[in-house]
Amino acid sequence: MSDLLTYAYAVVRNAEGLRETTAPLRGVADSPVSLVTDTGDDQLGLVVSHVPGHDFQEDALKQHLEDLEWLEAVARAHHGVIKALAERTTVLPLRLATVYLDDNRAREVLEAGRTMFAERLARLSEHVEWGVKIYVEPSAAPAAPAVPAADLTPGRAYLRSRRQQQSVRDTVYQAARKAAERVEAAGRKHASDRVRHRVQQGLLADAAGAVGENVVNDAYLVPLKRCDGFLADVTHAADGLAGVRVEATGPWAPYSFAMPLDESGGAAAAEGAPP
């Protein structure tokens, strides 16, 4: 058995010049990128490269996925290939670390899913993904006017201070709900679909350099011709709402709206848009 595995990045429409686009690309493990086509329909292609089996076989991959430095390097290489492809054709991104025993096995999966992939690519054509995150920062909201505490015991003064802080937090979270309603209205007006991701906490929030608490983490599939209107509405979603920040990122290839290949041999997913 070969010590190399086939790493798959995306299913694509085999547009004119795509092979020339992929030829200079280097993917995961700095490996050359190539195009595997469906023998029954050369309009579909699977973009692949070859990676060392000792890093991507199931047991090794499970260990590597605990290594944030290794994972970041793979994710950036993966995204770099998909970004280059998306500039030339419609792309159906695959999960991070989708691997097959060889190119023949990858081709078999491509051919087996021919109809589904063609339908999915048609749906994603002329669309991009935008990420929208909403953060709350209670410390940025104005505090209630201080009330003289000369006649209060230290204990009562402390309890009143805590109630005032809680009141500010409640107000900010209500404002965040209002911002979320405005973003959702923009999505209904401009977008074709929405996916809700888990909010970023802990290491994910730290890695993203987030300021404040992430309370909404959504992805929207937006037609290219509606992007300006969508961004204009989203950008103003926090207007007049103290302690609330709305952040839009993109445009991305439609990671959140892609479907992973079946029987993908140890595939592992990274949620949402790329790092």
Side-chain angles (χ1 to χ4, degrees):
M1 184 176 71
S2 170
D3 61 353
L4 294 177
L5 297 174
T6 295
Y7 184 110
Y9 299 88
V11 179
V12 297
R13 287 185 183 223
N14 189 11
E16 182 178 354
L18 188 61
R19 287 188 182 276
E20 290 74 16
T21 297
T22 60
L25 296 180
R26 311 290 292 193
V28 174
D30 198 36
S31 56
V33 173
S34 60
L35 186 65
V36 171
T37 55
D38 180 341
T39 56
D41 181 0
D42 63 3
Q43 294 303 303
L44 289 180
L46 188 61
V47 179
V48 304
S49 67
H50 298 117
V51 294
H54 61 77
D55 278 333
F56 286 87
Q57 288 172 349
E58 186 173 0
D59 291 342
L61 188 57
K62 286 180 179 178
Q63 294 183 8
H64 279 314
L65 292 177
E66 301 293 327
D67 181 345
L68 291 182
E69 184 175 343
W70 184 92
L71 187 59
E72 181 181 4
V74 171
R76 290 192 180 279
H78 183 98
H79 173 56
V81 171
I82 290 175
K83 182 180 178 181
L85 295 169
E87 293 174 356
R88 291 300 302 267
T89 187
T90 303
V91 177
L92 181 63
L94 301 182
R95 285 181 165 190
L96 195 70
T98 296
V99 293
Y100 298 94
L101 290 177
D102 52 34
D103 286 3
N104 287 332
R105 177 58 187 141
R107 181 177 288 106
E108 289 172 1
V109 175
L110 178 64
E111 293 175 352
R114 180 185 305 157
T115 300
M116 182 269 290
F117 295 137
E119 291 174 350
R120 179 68 55 150
L121 285 166
R123 176 174 176 266
L124 299 179
S125 180
E126 300 297 317
H127 285 71
V128 291
E129 175 175 332
W130 288 93
V132 181
K133 296 183 176 68
I134 298 178
Y135 297 91
V136 294
E137 303 174 53
S139 61
V147 178
D151 297 331
L152 297 179
T153 65
R156 288 183 177 275
Y158 170 77
L159 290 175
R160 187 174 64 184
S161 174
R162 293 288 293 173
R163 285 196 297 269
Q164 289 173 338
Q165 291 174 7
Q166 186 61 49
S167 177
V168 170
R169 288 182 61 83
D170 291 345
T171 299
V172 170
Y173 281 99
Q174 289 173 6
R177 285 193 288 272
K178 180 65 175 178
E181 291 171 0
R182 293 174 180 176
V183 170
E184 290 171 8
R188 289 191 297 270
K189 181 179 179 182
H190 300 288
S192 300
D193 201 356
R194 178 185 71 172
V195 169
R196 285 199 151 160
H197 296 301
R198 288 175 293 183
V199 296
Q200 292 185 328
Q201 297 175 322
L203 290 176
L204 281 177
D206 293 342
V211 177
E213 179 188 352
N214 181 210
V215 294
V216 170
N217 182 16
D218 290 350
Y220 287 87
L221 183 68
V222 184
L224 291 173
K225 62 184 179 182
R226 303 303 298 266
C227 286
D228 289 346
F230 176 76
L231 287 177
D233 288 350
V234 167
T235 299
H236 293 291
D239 287 0
L241 302 175
V244 178
R245 179 167 54 89
V246 177
E247 178 184 282
T249 58
W252 310 109
Y255 287 88
S256 299
F257 304 90
M259 183 179 298
L261 293 177
D262 293 333
E263 302 180 74
S264 54
E271 285 195 1

